[in-house]
Amino acid sequence: MRLGWIAAGAALVVLSGCSEAAPVVESAPAAVDARDYVALGDSYAAGLGGGNYADTSCLQSTDKSYPQLWIDAKGTDALGETVNKACSGAVISTVTSQQLTALTDRTGWVTLTVGGNDVGFVAGLQQCVLGSDQTCAQSVKNASGTMESNLPGALDKLYTQVRAKAPNAKVYVVGYPHLVADPGAGVACDSLNDARRKALNAASDTLSEVISTVVAKHPGFTYVDARVIFAGHEACTKDPWIHAIADDMSESFHPNADGYAAYAKVLHGVTG
């Protein structure tokens, strides 16, 4: 019996004298081992406020950021390559242009905190600390307007790009907490009276609601609500996990080491 090869569009293997050809069986592509972890975002993801910084630009905490603490809790045996691209001061466009390059089809885990710097929240906070009740309220109102008008579209585009570059990843969008104790609670805290606290926390609520709403539209994305994590431990409480006016002004109104540990503990529980 003699083997013959016949090409008819696709290559078919036939036995000489046989009228039917057996199709070539293609093997399934090998599954991608997606275990790499990439942390993206701004100062809250970098660990500003936790101390022990690796540099003076991005101010990544080497051992207190929630990404690093999550890696420690998860264990390196469960992960592949780990990369923290988060950088203090980052906005959505920064993440898009400078951080997403770390994502691949081997990325299995992504954490992301970004959006606060895009809406003028820092300016509002400065007015609430240094300005009057009126300038505080107006500045926070302006920031909230930007959150509702500009942020949804920008976040939606970012999340779509994250999914395109990391198709196999579970993505955890980690939110922002209330920065200060609610009105009537906590302790005296410089110029942050009840009216200013109310304005700031209302803006934090708007920010969280905008982010969580966009997250819900993206399969495989999970929102982690930091307001719940930090409840009772905001700045101006007896046991704060957020710096108020810090000696290092850049750390003001960022989590301290206890705050980042709380972030990581909840994140570890959510991710398993």
Side-chain angles (χ1 to χ4, degrees):
M1 187 174 293
R2 180 173 59 87
L3 284 176
W5 294 85
I6 299 177
L12 301 177
V13 179
V14 300
L15 294 177
S16 297
C18 293
S19 59
E20 295 185 0
V24 175
V25 178
E26 297 183 0
S27 59
V32 175
D33 183 18
R35 295 186 299 121
D36 293 352
Y37 167 54
V38 178
L40 307 170
D42 57 23
S43 55
Y44 270 67
L48 179 59
N52 297 333
Y53 304 118
D55 55 47
T56 58
S57 55
C58 284
L59 294 171
Q60 278 192 16
S61 176
T62 58
D63 57 356
K64 300 301 182 184
S65 68
Y66 77 72
Q68 184 58 53
L69 293 171
W70 181 81
I71 292 170
D72 296 342
K74 189 74 173 175
T76 54
D77 290 343
L79 302 171
E81 181 181 356
T82 61
V83 179
N84 188 349
K85 297 289 287 185
C87 189
S88 297
V91 294
I92 292 172
S93 61
T94 310
V95 174
T96 300
S97 63
Q98 299 179 20
Q99 299 183 15
L100 297 190
T101 53
L103 301 176
T104 70
D105 62 350
R106 297 180 64 86
T107 304
W109 309 89
V110 175
T111 58
L112 168 63
T113 301
V114 74
N117 291 331
D118 291 79
V119 297
F121 199 73
V122 172
L125 182 58
Q126 290 173 339
Q127 284 298 323
C128 289
V129 172
L130 302 174
S132 65
D133 289 355
Q134 183 178 5
T135 59
C136 169
Q138 185 60 53
S139 186
V140 170
K141 181 180 179 180
N142 293 342
S144 296
T146 303
M147 293 175 199
E148 295 176 320
S149 61
N150 298 346
L151 199 57
L155 288 174
D156 184 67
K157 183 177 180 181
L158 172 63
Y159 298 162
T160 299
Q161 291 175 306
V162 169
R163 174 55 69 216
K165 291 181 176 294
N168 301 307
K170 297 177 181 178
V171 183
Y172 296 88
V173 178
V174 183
Y176 300 92
H178 281 174
L179 297 180
V180 292
D182 287 331
V187 298
C189 195
D190 298 311
S191 60
L192 293 174
N193 57 30
D194 280 355
R196 302 182 191 204
R197 295 183 191 191
K198 182 179 179 179
L200 285 170
N201 288 343
S204 292
D205 286 335
T206 300
L207 182 59
S208 294
E209 289 158 10
V210 167
I211 295 174
S212 63
T213 297
V214 180
V215 168
K217 298 177 181 179
H218 290 262
F221 282 59
T222 300
Y223 182 65
V224 180
D225 193 340
R227 295 171 299 175
V228 178
I229 298 172
F230 284 80
H233 295 281
E234 302 88 348
C236 311
T237 59
K238 293 181 180 179
D239 183 21
W241 293 349
I242 297 177
H243 295 285
I245 304 298
D247 292 337
D248 181 346
M249 288 299 293
S250 68
E251 294 183 335
S252 298
F253 300 100
H254 285 79
N256 57 26
D258 290 337
Y260 286 117
Y263 257 135
K265 181 179 179 180
V266 170
L267 186 60
H268 184 58
V270 172
T271 59

